[in-house]
Amino acid sequence: MVLILLSWLYTFFTSITLGIGFARLFQVKSLNVVITCILGLFGVTLLAGSWAIFGPISIEFHVFLLGTSIGLGYYYKTNLKAIVVNTFIQLSSFSLLTKVLLAFSSLLILGQSATLPFIIDNETYYIQTIQWLNEYGFVPGLANLHLFLGQTSGWHITQSVYSFSFLYDGFNDLNGYLLLMANFWAFQKLHSYFTNGNRLDLTFGLLPLTYVFLFQFVSAPSPDLPVYLIAMLVFSMYLKPTQDEALEKFNLTTILVLFAIYIKITAVVLLVLPFLLLTKHFIHFKNQLVPIRLLGGLVLFLFAIKNIMLTGYPLYPLPFFPYSSADYVVPMDIMSYFFGQEMMHSFYMGFGTFERASFFDLIKQYFLHSGIDSIMGLATLFLLIISPFIISKYYPKQKLHNIYYVFITLLILLVFSSPQYRFYIYFTIFFGLVFLSVLFTQKKLILGILSLSFIVVGIFVFVPISFRALTHNKLLENNSTLHFENIIYPQPNTKEKHDYTKIVKGNLEYQSPSKAKLFWITGNGNLPCVNEEQLDYFETHFHVVPQVRGKTLGEGFYAQKTKNHD
């Protein structure tokens, strides 16, 4: 925990200084510590995403980042001091119980960050993605080695900066830092509600009630959590009454949405919200949109160039506009199989049943599916039905209707693509909080429920618990808990303990994990690392094997047709 806290201090310094500079570029003047740090993380991500095109995100990048941060900190020292002073003033205005709850929840976040990662994707490709970024940057055709490595998220680029691979191999905790920021923001909103009685402030102030769910994402760099939390900030910003700062509101909302999209493309529906702001105020600031257009162009360029280098497809995983002149493009039959509709629906429907299913069969199967999927699906269905009535009665003059319509649009799109709850759950969380803000309005009751919620979360952090009733996945049956030795050192960044075997296939020499429970799993093996069973599967069914394009791993990989299928 101590080592993680020290790394977060560095993260805070670099993110807040770059955040101030980033905000000044886009005429954002009303800064608070949380928004500033998130803007700074976006700035770091864009810098690292550009750097990774040419080389590894290692100590050289940190020399550049630290020098830039020190320069910006000195240049904007007045703004930096004002943000820090205002933050302490806000803290001092909290009631004693609010301060205690804030401190306790923050310690829980720090503690959870020091536990073993819970998310299975951490074992299949998060660790390896970040390791490739730290050692080589973007590698041409990397998805030919392991298909999931083509999904490199903007958030993994950010985590690769703050993994400090040249110092220590146990840092994997950027999600915890972001949740710590969001936690303070939520308590700010809660204090604001206690002061002025604004129900929307209460909605966002109740965010800590969702930690029982969100904590599973804390100890691994899952791109889902930052999308959820940034979406809450976007909703808050969009619902904020517009006075004279319409341009600032539009710029800030757009920047946050672009960050969410760069992290996870499924967040693209959030673009509807800044578009609605733009159409309302276009006449007033149509001549002041050049900076935000340039930022949008930069994000699109970095997104496309990352995908082209890793997979050969600029809109990966969509198999459109392949960079056909490159020898490392992932074969189209592999793309069509793994990103086809039947595969994307296979998490709740058996193979061979999707094509015969009607729309209502899909809906029925999803909502009556077993485990956590059904729980989230039924909760979403309940909120879809009740939210219009709550909005009409308690928020008639707010823009909640627009957010609700965006929610509906996303669900319709996902029904026909991949209706996994993690792609839309932030809308469910938001409308769940809207619902709770109607039920709980008394200060004592709110603080009491938050206290009880944190006790439950604390149990999950310290007490081993079985989740067999909620999942059939043996890798997710038990939670990860904090131990005494983790007060100083965090637990490893992998939950799986493997022995690795060196295997040679053509000109590819790789490490294969032994006795992996899933053939996508790679764990924390040395590069290049991929499961032998996975390569055998691709050779059998697609008649290809990955090969190194040149003399070094940094030159990338291509899919070589096996001889008996030339």
Side-chain angles (χ1 to χ4, degrees):
M1 290 173 63
V2 172
L3 289 181
I4 292 174
L5 184 59
L6 290 174
S7 73
W8 284 356
L9 291 175
Y10 174 82
T11 306
F12 175 78
F13 174 70
T14 53
S15 62
I16 197 170
T17 51
L18 263 73
I20 295 172
F22 200 93
R24 289 292 173 259
L25 284 176
F26 296 95
Q27 303 179 49
V28 177
K29 300 176 183 178
S30 303
L31 293 177
N32 63 60
V33 65
V34 175
I35 295 294
T36 305
C37 285
I38 292 177
L39 292 180
L41 288 176
F42 191 19
V44 170
T45 304
L46 295 177
L47 289 175
S50 302
W51 189 284
I53 297 172
F54 306 101
I57 302 173
S58 188
I59 189 169
E60 295 84 3
F61 180 79
H62 279 276
V63 172
F64 167 72
L65 177 62
L66 185 59
T68 302
S69 299
I70 292 172
L72 288 173
Y74 178 78
Y75 187 77
Y76 291 114
K77 57 181 179 294
T78 302
N79 303 97
L80 179 60
K81 181 180 179 181
I83 292 173
V84 173
V85 170
N86 287 336
T87 301
F88 279 104
I89 291 174
Q90 289 177 336
L91 275 172
S92 64
S93 66
F94 290 178
S95 68
L96 178 60
L97 181 54
T98 303
K99 291 177 182 176
V100 170
L101 290 177
L102 173 61
F104 182 55
S105 57
S106 298
L107 284 173
L108 287 177
I109 293 170
L110 181 59
Q112 180 70 5
S113 299
T115 65
L116 288 172
F118 181 75
I119 302 295
I120 186 59
D121 286 347
N122 186 70
E123 311 300 329
T124 57
Y125 73 102
Y126 290 178
I127 297 172
Q128 291 291 308
T129 294
I130 293 164
Q131 195 171 346
W132 279 104
L133 287 167
N134 286 148
E135 295 190 25
Y136 295 98
F138 296 142
V139 175
L142 185 59
N144 287 307
L145 178 69
H146 190 306
L147 190 62
F148 291 0
L149 295 177
Q151 299 180 132
T152 299
S153 163
W155 195 243
H156 292 144
I157 296 172
T158 323
Q159 177 65 76
S160 72
V161 174
Y162 295 112
S163 62
F164 308 106
S165 60
F166 54 91
L167 292 177
Y168 184 67
D169 64 356
F171 291 126
N172 204 34
D173 315 292
L174 189 60
N175 275 15
Y177 173 77
L178 185 65
L179 186 58
L180 190 72
M181 293 287 105
N183 187 54
F184 180 64
W185 174 76
F187 273 93
Q188 285 178 313
K189 291 293 184 180
L190 193 63
H191 174 72
S192 180
Y193 169 73
F194 293 153
T195 303
N196 59 38
N198 186 325
R199 196 186 298 272
L200 275 175
D201 285 337
L202 175 60
T203 296
F204 297 107
L206 293 176
L207 180 65
L209 292 179
T210 67
Y211 288 177
V212 172
F213 171 73
L214 294 182
F215 260 48
Q216 67 176 305
F217 301 99
V218 169
S219 53
S222 167
D224 293 309
L225 183 66
V227 171
Y228 302 163
L229 298 179
I230 291 172
M232 295 300 137
L233 293 171
V234 169
F235 296 155
S236 175
M237 186 61 58
Y238 177 74
L239 295 170
K240 182 181 178 181
T242 303
Q243 298 174 357
D244 298 327
E245 69 280 2
L247 178 61
E248 178 177 318
K249 177 179 176 179
F250 167 75
N251 282 344
L252 187 52
T253 304
T254 305
I255 292 168
L256 292 174
V257 169
L258 288 174
F259 192 14
I261 293 171
Y262 192 57
I263 290 171
K264 202 172 184 72
I265 192 61
T266 52
V268 70
V269 294
L270 293 175
L271 271 177
V272 173
L273 301 180
F275 178 77
L276 291 174
L277 293 176
L278 178 62
T279 55
K280 182 178 180 180
H281 301 283
F282 182 73
I283 295 177
H284 298 96
F285 49 73
K286 62 181 180 180
N287 297 322
Q288 303 178 66
L289 299 176
V290 173
I292 207 71
R293 286 174 177 169
L294 291 175
L295 178 64
L298 175 62
V299 171
L300 179 61
F301 170 77
L302 290 177
F303 179 80
I305 200 69
K306 165 182 70 74
N307 289 338
I308 289 172
M309 291 186 69
L310 296 172
T311 71
Y313 298 89
L315 301 179
Y316 184 85
L318 299 177
F320 303 143
F321 317 115
Y323 183 39
S324 55
S325 61
D327 64 347
Y328 59 79
V329 177
V330 176
M332 183 61 74
D333 54 343
I334 293 177
M335 294 287 291
S336 300
Y337 179 76
F338 283 101
F339 298 109
Q341 284 191 313
E342 185 170 14
M343 179 63 75
M344 299 305 283
H345 285 262
S346 64
F347 71 97
Y348 73 101
M349 294 192 74
F351 283 99
T353 61
F354 175 77
E355 293 296 335
R356 303 193 304 270
S358 67
F359 174 79
F360 292 103
D361 290 332
L362 294 176
I363 298 297
K364 178 182 177 182
Q365 180 67 15
Y366 178 74
F367 286 113
L368 297 182
H369 189 54
S370 62
I372 189 68
D373 298 313
S374 284
I375 294 174
M376 295 302 176
L378 291 172
T380 299
L381 187 61
F382 168 75
L383 291 169
L384 284 174
I385 295 171
I386 199 172
S387 290
F389 300 100
I390 294 176
I391 294 170
S392 297
K393 183 174 181 179
Y394 296 98
Y395 300 94
K397 296 181 180 180
Q398 301 292 342
K399 301 174 184 176
L400 278 170
H401 296 89
N402 294 336
I403 298 177
Y404 181 80
Y405 297 143
V406 174
F407 187 16
I408 295 292
T409 301
L410 177 59
L411 287 174
I412 292 173
L413 292 174
L414 289 176
V415 163
F416 293 102
S417 55
S418 182
Q420 299 184 52
Y421 73 83
R422 62 195 180 94
F423 294 159
Y424 66 76
I425 198 66
Y426 56 96
F427 282 98
T428 303
I429 290 173
F430 173 68
F431 284 104
L433 295 177
V434 170
F435 175 66
L436 292 177
S437 70
V438 172
L439 296 181
F440 308 129
T441 58
Q442 299 299 316
K443 181 176 181 179
K444 290 184 178 180
L445 178 60
I446 292 168
L447 294 176
I449 293 173
L450 283 175
S451 301
L452 180 61
S453 173
F454 292 151
I455 291 173
V456 173
V457 171
I459 292 173
F460 281 106
V461 173
F462 292 100
V463 181
I465 296 174
S466 173
F467 299 118
R468 292 180 182 176
L470 298 176
T471 180
H472 298 299
N473 191 331
K474 294 184 180 296
L475 298 169
L476 303 177
E477 286 184 348
N478 301 291
N479 62 323
S480 301
T481 56
L482 188 70
H483 303 286
F484 180 77
E485 61 268 21
N486 303 133
I487 293 176
I488 303 295
Y489 299 99
Q491 295 194 39
N493 62 1
T494 176
K495 193 175 185 178
E496 299 292 308
K497 296 181 180 179
H498 299 289
D499 293 322
Y500 289 87
T501 303
K502 183 184 291 186
I503 299 174
V504 178
K505 200 172 191 70
N507 73 355
L508 174 66
E509 184 179 291
Y510 66 96
Q511 301 290 325
S512 176
S514 60
K515 299 179 181 179
K517 299 175 184 177
L518 181 68
F519 85 3
W520 295 112
I521 285 179
T522 55
N524 196 21
N526 294 328
L527 302 184
C529 182
V530 63
N531 196 324
E532 182 183 19
E533 184 182 350
Q534 181 193 143
L535 295 193
D536 290 343
Y537 178 90
F538 274 71
E539 183 174 7
T540 301
H541 293 276
F542 301 105
H543 318 302
V544 296
V545 294
Q547 294 290 279
V548 182
R549 295 175 66 233
K551 296 181 180 180
T552 65
L553 295 178
E555 294 176 73
F557 303 87
Y558 69 98
Q560 182 185 64
K561 283 286 185 180
T562 52
K563 290 184 179 180
N564 56 339
H565 290 94
D566 284 342

Short mmCIF file of all heavy atoms in Angstrom, two decimals, residues 156-188:
data_model
loop_
_atom_site.label_atom_id
_atom_site.label_comp_id
_atom_site.label_asym_id
_atom_site.label_seq_id
_atom_site.Cartn_x
_atom_site.Cartn_y
_atom_site.Cartn_z
N HIS A 156 -4.69 1.35 -21.34
CA HIS A 156 -3.49 0.52 -21.16
C HIS A 156 -2.24 1.32 -21.52
O HIS A 156 -1.17 1.09 -20.95
CB HIS A 156 -3.59 -0.74 -22.02
CG HIS A 156 -4.66 -1.68 -21.57
ND1 HIS A 156 -5.43 -2.42 -22.43
CD2 HIS A 156 -5.11 -1.96 -20.33
CE1 HIS A 156 -6.28 -3.14 -21.74
NE2 HIS A 156 -6.12 -2.88 -20.46
N ILE A 157 -2.38 2.24 -22.44
CA ILE A 157 -1.27 3.13 -22.73
C ILE A 157 -0.96 3.99 -21.51
O ILE A 157 0.20 4.17 -21.12
CB ILE A 157 -1.61 4.02 -23.95
CG1 ILE A 157 -1.78 3.16 -25.20
CG2 ILE A 157 -0.52 5.07 -24.17
CD1 ILE A 157 -2.29 3.92 -26.40
N THR A 158 -2.01 4.50 -20.87
CA THR A 158 -1.82 5.30 -19.65
C THR A 158 -1.19 4.46 -18.55
O THR A 158 -0.26 4.91 -17.87
CB THR A 158 -3.16 5.87 -19.15
OG1 THR A 158 -3.98 6.23 -20.25
CG2 THR A 158 -2.94 7.08 -18.26
N GLN A 159 -1.72 3.25 -18.36
CA GLN A 159 -1.18 2.37 -17.32
C GLN A 159 0.27 2.02 -17.60
O GLN A 159 1.07 1.88 -16.66
CB GLN A 159 -2.02 1.10 -17.21
CG GLN A 159 -1.49 0.08 -16.21
CD GLN A 159 -1.53 0.56 -14.78
OE1 GLN A 159 -2.57 0.60 -14.15
NE2 GLN A 159 -0.36 0.95 -14.25
N SER A 160 0.64 1.89 -18.87
CA SER A 160 2.03 1.55 -19.19
C SER A 160 2.98 2.67 -18.75
O SER A 160 4.14 2.41 -18.45
CB SER A 160 2.18 1.29 -20.69
OG SER A 160 2.08 2.48 -21.45
N VAL A 161 2.46 3.91 -18.71
CA VAL A 161 3.27 5.02 -18.19
C VAL A 161 3.49 4.84 -16.70
O VAL A 161 4.61 4.97 -16.19
CB VAL A 161 2.58 6.37 -18.47
CG1 VAL A 161 3.35 7.51 -17.80
CG2 VAL A 161 2.44 6.61 -19.97
N TYR A 162 2.41 4.52 -15.98
CA TYR A 162 2.47 4.49 -14.52
C TYR A 162 2.70 3.08 -13.96
O TYR A 162 2.46 2.85 -12.77
CB TYR A 162 1.19 5.10 -13.95
CG TYR A 162 1.06 6.57 -14.29
CD1 TYR A 162 0.08 7.02 -15.16
CD2 TYR A 162 1.95 7.50 -13.77
CE1 TYR A 162 -0.03 8.38 -15.48
CE2 TYR A 162 1.86 8.84 -14.08
CZ TYR A 162 0.87 9.28 -14.94
OH TYR A 162 0.77 10.62 -15.25
N SER A 163 3.16 2.17 -14.80
CA SER A 163 3.55 0.86 -14.27
C SER A 163 5.00 0.87 -13.79
O SER A 163 5.42 -0.03 -13.06
CB SER A 163 3.37 -0.22 -15.34
OG SER A 163 4.22 0.03 -16.45
N PHE A 164 5.79 1.88 -14.23
CA PHE A 164 7.18 2.03 -13.79
C PHE A 164 7.95 0.72 -13.93
O PHE A 164 8.61 0.25 -13.00
CB PHE A 164 7.25 2.52 -12.34
CG PHE A 164 6.44 3.75 -12.07
CD1 PHE A 164 5.23 3.68 -11.38
CD2 PHE A 164 6.85 5.00 -12.54
CE1 PHE A 164 4.48 4.82 -11.14
CE2 PHE A 164 6.09 6.14 -12.30
CZ PHE A 164 4.91 6.05 -11.60
N SER A 165 7.84 0.11 -15.11
CA SER A 165 8.42 -1.22 -15.34
C SER A 165 9.93 -1.26 -15.13
O SER A 165 10.50 -2.31 -14.83
CB SER A 165 8.09 -1.70 -16.75
OG SER A 165 8.63 -0.80 -17.72
N PHE A 166 10.59 -0.13 -15.28
CA PHE A 166 12.04 -0.07 -15.11
C PHE A 166 12.44 -0.02 -13.64
O PHE A 166 13.64 -0.10 -13.32
CB PHE A 166 12.61 1.15 -15.86
CG PHE A 166 11.96 2.45 -15.48
CD1 PHE A 166 12.47 3.22 -14.46
CD2 PHE A 166 10.81 2.88 -16.14
CE1 PHE A 166 11.87 4.41 -14.10
CE2 PHE A 166 10.20 4.09 -15.79
CZ PHE A 166 10.73 4.85 -14.77
N LEU A 167 11.46 0.12 -12.74
CA LEU A 167 11.75 0.18 -11.31
C LEU A 167 11.22 -1.03 -10.54
O LEU A 167 11.89 -1.57 -9.66
CB LEU A 167 11.12 1.44 -10.70
CG LEU A 167 11.72 2.79 -11.11
CD1 LEU A 167 10.92 3.92 -10.47
CD2 LEU A 167 13.19 2.88 -10.70
N TYR A 168 9.99 -1.46 -10.90
CA TYR A 168 9.29 -2.45 -10.08
C TYR A 168 8.22 -3.10 -10.94
O TYR A 168 7.63 -2.45 -11.80
CB TYR A 168 8.67 -1.74 -8.86
CG TYR A 168 7.98 -2.64 -7.86
CD1 TYR A 168 8.71 -3.53 -7.10
CD2 TYR A 168 6.60 -2.56 -7.65
CE1 TYR A 168 8.09 -4.35 -6.16
CE2 TYR A 168 5.97 -3.36 -6.71
CZ TYR A 168 6.72 -4.26 -5.97
OH TYR A 168 6.11 -5.06 -5.05
N ASP A 169 7.96 -4.39 -10.73
CA ASP A 169 7.01 -5.09 -11.60
C ASP A 169 5.65 -5.32 -10.96
O ASP A 169 4.85 -6.10 -11.45
CB ASP A 169 7.59 -6.44 -12.05
CG ASP A 169 7.80 -7.40 -10.89
OD1 ASP A 169 7.59 -7.00 -9.72
OD2 ASP A 169 8.19 -8.55 -11.14
N GLY A 170 5.38 -4.62 -9.84
CA GLY A 170 4.11 -4.86 -9.14
C GLY A 170 3.08 -3.76 -9.25
O GLY A 170 2.00 -3.87 -8.68
N PHE A 171 3.39 -2.67 -10.00
CA PHE A 171 2.42 -1.57 -10.10
C PHE A 171 1.44 -1.84 -11.23
O PHE A 171 1.82 -2.02 -12.38
CB PHE A 171 3.14 -0.25 -10.35
CG PHE A 171 3.95 0.25 -9.18
CD1 PHE A 171 5.29 0.56 -9.32
CD2 PHE A 171 3.37 0.38 -7.93
CE1 PHE A 171 6.04 1.02 -8.25
CE2 PHE A 171 4.12 0.83 -6.84
CZ PHE A 171 5.44 1.15 -7.00
N ASN A 172 0.17 -1.87 -10.86
CA ASN A 172 -0.90 -2.16 -11.82
C ASN A 172 -2.16 -1.44 -11.37
O ASN A 172 -3.27 -1.96 -11.50
CB ASN A 172 -1.13 -3.68 -11.83
CG ASN A 172 -1.75 -4.18 -13.11
OD1 ASN A 172 -1.47 -3.67 -14.18
ND2 ASN A 172 -2.59 -5.20 -13.01
N ASP A 173 -1.99 -0.21 -10.86
CA ASP A 173 -2.99 0.35 -9.96
C ASP A 173 -3.59 1.68 -10.39
O ASP A 173 -4.07 2.46 -9.57
CB ASP A 173 -2.36 0.53 -8.57
CG ASP A 173 -1.56 -0.69 -8.16
OD1 ASP A 173 -2.18 -1.74 -7.93
OD2 ASP A 173 -0.33 -0.60 -8.09
N LEU A 174 -3.58 1.98 -11.69
CA LEU A 174 -4.11 3.25 -12.15
C LEU A 174 -5.61 3.36 -11.91
O LEU A 174 -6.13 4.45 -11.66
CB LEU A 174 -3.80 3.44 -13.64
CG LEU A 174 -4.10 4.82 -14.22
CD1 LEU A 174 -3.30 5.90 -13.50
CD2 LEU A 174 -3.79 4.84 -15.72
N ASN A 175 -6.32 2.24 -11.99
CA ASN A 175 -7.76 2.27 -11.72
C ASN A 175 -8.05 2.72 -10.29
O ASN A 175 -9.02 3.43 -10.03
CB ASN A 175 -8.38 0.89 -11.96
CG ASN A 175 -8.74 0.67 -13.42
OD1 ASN A 175 -8.29 1.40 -14.29
ND2 ASN A 175 -9.54 -0.34 -13.69
N GLY A 176 -7.20 2.29 -9.38
CA GLY A 176 -7.38 2.72 -7.99
C GLY A 176 -7.20 4.21 -7.84
O GLY A 176 -7.95 4.88 -7.12
N TYR A 177 -6.20 4.76 -8.52
CA TYR A 177 -5.97 6.20 -8.47
C TYR A 177 -7.17 6.96 -9.02
O TYR A 177 -7.61 7.95 -8.43
CB TYR A 177 -4.71 6.55 -9.27
CG TYR A 177 -4.48 8.04 -9.43
CD1 TYR A 177 -3.97 8.80 -8.37
CD2 TYR A 177 -4.78 8.68 -10.63
CE1 TYR A 177 -3.76 10.16 -8.52
CE2 TYR A 177 -4.56 10.05 -10.77
CZ TYR A 177 -4.06 10.78 -9.72
OH TYR A 177 -3.86 12.14 -9.86
N LEU A 178 -7.70 6.50 -10.14
CA LEU A 178 -8.85 7.19 -10.74
C LEU A 178 -10.07 7.10 -9.83
O LEU A 178 -10.80 8.09 -9.67
CB LEU A 178 -9.18 6.57 -12.11
CG LEU A 178 -10.28 7.29 -12.88
CD1 LEU A 178 -9.87 8.70 -13.24
CD2 LEU A 178 -10.67 6.51 -14.13
N LEU A 179 -10.30 5.94 -9.23
CA LEU A 179 -11.44 5.81 -8.32
C LEU A 179 -11.25 6.68 -7.09
O LEU A 179 -12.21 7.22 -6.53
CB LEU A 179 -11.64 4.35 -7.91
CG LEU A 179 -12.90 4.08 -7.07
CD1 LEU A 179 -14.16 4.51 -7.81
CD2 LEU A 179 -13.00 2.61 -6.69
N LEU A 180 -10.00 6.85 -6.64
CA LEU A 180 -9.72 7.75 -5.52
C LEU A 180 -10.14 9.17 -5.87
O LEU A 180 -10.75 9.87 -5.04
CB LEU A 180 -8.24 7.70 -5.18
CG LEU A 180 -7.81 8.39 -3.88
CD1 LEU A 180 -8.27 7.58 -2.68
CD2 LEU A 180 -6.29 8.56 -3.85
N MET A 181 -9.83 9.61 -7.09
CA MET A 181 -10.25 10.93 -7.56
C MET A 181 -11.77 11.04 -7.61
O MET A 181 -12.37 12.02 -7.15
CB MET A 181 -9.67 11.21 -8.95
CG MET A 181 -8.16 11.37 -9.02
SD MET A 181 -7.58 12.93 -8.30
CE MET A 181 -6.90 12.33 -6.76
N ALA A 182 -12.40 10.02 -8.18
CA ALA A 182 -13.86 10.02 -8.30
C ALA A 182 -14.53 9.97 -6.93
O ALA A 182 -15.61 10.54 -6.73
CB ALA A 182 -14.31 8.84 -9.16
N ASN A 183 -13.89 9.30 -5.99
CA ASN A 183 -14.42 9.22 -4.63
C ASN A 183 -14.48 10.60 -3.98
O ASN A 183 -15.49 10.98 -3.38
CB ASN A 183 -13.55 8.27 -3.80
CG ASN A 183 -14.11 7.98 -2.44
OD1 ASN A 183 -15.25 7.56 -2.30
ND2 ASN A 183 -13.31 8.18 -1.40
N PHE A 184 -13.40 11.37 -4.15
CA PHE A 184 -13.40 12.73 -3.60
C PHE A 184 -14.46 13.59 -4.30
O PHE A 184 -15.16 14.38 -3.67
CB PHE A 184 -12.02 13.35 -3.75
CG PHE A 184 -11.93 14.76 -3.22
CD1 PHE A 184 -12.11 15.02 -1.88
CD2 PHE A 184 -11.67 15.81 -4.08
CE1 PHE A 184 -12.04 16.33 -1.39
CE2 PHE A 184 -11.60 17.11 -3.61
CZ PHE A 184 -11.79 17.37 -2.26
N TRP A 185 -14.58 13.43 -5.62
CA TRP A 185 -15.58 14.17 -6.38
C TRP A 185 -16.99 13.85 -5.87
O TRP A 185 -17.83 14.75 -5.71
CB TRP A 185 -15.45 13.82 -7.85
CG TRP A 185 -16.50 14.40 -8.74
CD1 TRP A 185 -16.60 15.69 -9.17
CD2 TRP A 185 -17.60 13.70 -9.33
NE1 TRP A 185 -17.71 15.84 -9.99
CE2 TRP A 185 -18.33 14.64 -10.11
CE3 TRP A 185 -18.04 12.38 -9.30
CZ2 TRP A 185 -19.47 14.28 -10.83
CZ3 TRP A 185 -19.17 12.02 -10.01
CH2 TRP A 185 -19.88 12.97 -10.76
N ALA A 186 -17.25 12.57 -5.59
CA ALA A 186 -18.57 12.16 -5.10
C ALA A 186 -18.86 12.80 -3.74
O ALA A 186 -19.98 13.26 -3.47
CB ALA A 186 -18.64 10.64 -5.00
N PHE A 187 -17.85 12.85 -2.86
CA PHE A 187 -18.06 13.47 -1.55
C PHE A 187 -18.24 14.99 -1.68
O PHE A 187 -18.94 15.59 -0.88
CB PHE A 187 -16.92 13.11 -0.61
CG PHE A 187 -17.12 11.81 0.11
CD1 PHE A 187 -16.63 10.62 -0.42
CD2 PHE A 187 -17.84 11.76 1.28
CE1 PHE A 187 -16.82 9.42 0.23
CE2 PHE A 187 -18.05 10.56 1.95
CZ PHE A 187 -17.54 9.38 1.41
N GLN A 188 -17.59 15.59 -2.67
CA GLN A 188 -17.85 17.00 -2.94
C GLN A 188 -19.31 17.21 -3.31
O GLN A 188 -19.96 18.16 -2.83
CB GLN A 188 -16.96 17.49 -4.10
CG GLN A 188 -15.50 17.70 -3.75
CD GLN A 188 -14.71 18.14 -4.98
OE1 GLN A 188 -14.82 17.57 -6.06
NE2 GLN A 188 -13.91 19.19 -4.82
#
